[in-house]
Amino acid sequence: MREPKIRRLWSWTCSFLILAAGVGGFTALIVFVHPHEKVAISDANLTHFELAASQTTLFYNLSFTMKIHKYFHASYRDMEVDCYYNNKNFDSRKLGDLKLKAWRTRLLNLTSNGNSTIDLGSNGVSAFKRSNETGFFDLEIRPIGKRITYDENGDDDVKKLSYQCKLRLELVKSHNSTTQGNFKPVKCH
């Protein structure tokens, strides 16, 4: 008669240990392996992208929505978003300081338009002409700054924040174009 009680007790003990190991493993995965934040471009439009006859001035109109999802409470300082074509910076936007609570998402709607002096070189000008023929341009959005988190003692931990978002955007020629809704979100690394 005692044997079934011992088996049942052993079964409950093993189940509890397996459950505790699973919860501990999941917690360790979130704390140590999970990234501090996820950054993505959820929408983007390129409505003007033209190289002047001098081949050193770029005229552009780029709008995009950047999404930052944070798993732990943090502050961001000196945030800046740089826009690149052919590894050449053509625009920078200072965002200033941001605060983001744990498990929250911040959407930043940004527009970059104007003109910029850019030295693409002969290879870059050739690549621009090929992209202009196809109507697709490979751009990069690079958010940078400092992430500040606080530990249980109130001490702050400052880390450099740097992501790279590679976009392949179709030049939208008119507001009625069907290409405006064809953007697929891009994860930044």
Side-chain angles (χ1 to χ4, degrees):
M1 205 66 157
R2 286 193 99 184
E3 201 168 305
K5 284 185 176 180
I6 292 174
R7 279 190 182 172
R8 204 172 334 156
L9 182 61
W10 180 249
S11 173
W12 280 99
T13 304
C14 287
S15 297
F16 176 74
L17 290 175
I18 289 171
L19 181 65
V23 169
F26 181 72
T27 303
L29 180 69
I30 287 178
V31 171
F32 297 112
V33 177
H34 211 278
H36 287 282
E37 65 265 317
K38 285 185 180 178
V39 178
I41 304 295
S42 59
D43 192 22
N45 281 311
L46 184 64
T47 57
H48 188 201
F49 209 66
E50 181 183 348
L51 195 58
S54 66
Q55 299 182 348
T56 58
T57 303
L58 180 68
F59 297 94
Y60 55 91
N61 189 355
L62 169 68
S63 60
F64 58 94
T65 301
M66 185 170 62
K67 180 168 65 171
I68 301 174
H69 181 79
K70 184 72 182 124
Y71 295 98
F72 304 104
H73 178 78
S75 297
Y76 296 91
R77 300 266 162 81
D78 304 326
M79 289 293 292
E80 184 176 317
V81 175
D82 297 329
C83 301
Y84 285 81
Y85 174 72
N86 203 31
N87 281 332
K88 304 291 184 187
N89 186 337
F90 67 87
D91 192 47
S92 292
R93 293 280 178 239
K94 298 217 181 282
L95 303 178
D97 298 343
L98 305 170
K99 286 190 178 189
L100 202 56
K101 293 182 180 179
W103 297 98
R104 303 295 171 140
T105 300
R106 169 79 56 98
L107 294 176
L108 301 168
N109 296 311
L110 302 166
T111 300
S112 296
N113 57 25
N115 59 26
S116 176
T117 301
I118 188 169
D119 182 18
L120 294 176
S122 60
N123 291 338
V125 171
S126 298
F128 185 90
K129 288 179 181 176
R130 283 192 304 276
S131 293
N132 204 26
E133 289 172 7
T134 65
F136 286 91
F137 292 89
D138 295 320
L139 304 178
E140 286 183 25
I141 307 295
R142 297 182 188 172
I144 58 173
K146 296 175 191 160
R147 177 184 57 240
I148 302 170
T149 55
Y150 303 96
D151 63 15
E152 60 275 355
N153 299 329
D155 297 331
D156 57 341
D157 181 30
V158 179
K159 301 274 188 198
K160 182 180 176 186
L161 176 81
S162 178
Y163 282 91
Q164 194 172 29
C165 316
K166 295 187 178 203
L167 307 176
R168 182 163 177 80
L169 294 177
E170 184 172 3
L171 184 61
V172 178
K173 305 261 183 188
S174 71
H175 294 291
N176 298 329
S177 177
T178 58
T179 59
Q180 280 185 300
N182 290 342
F183 183 79
K184 290 181 178 62
V186 173
K187 291 181 183 176
C188 305
H189 303 281

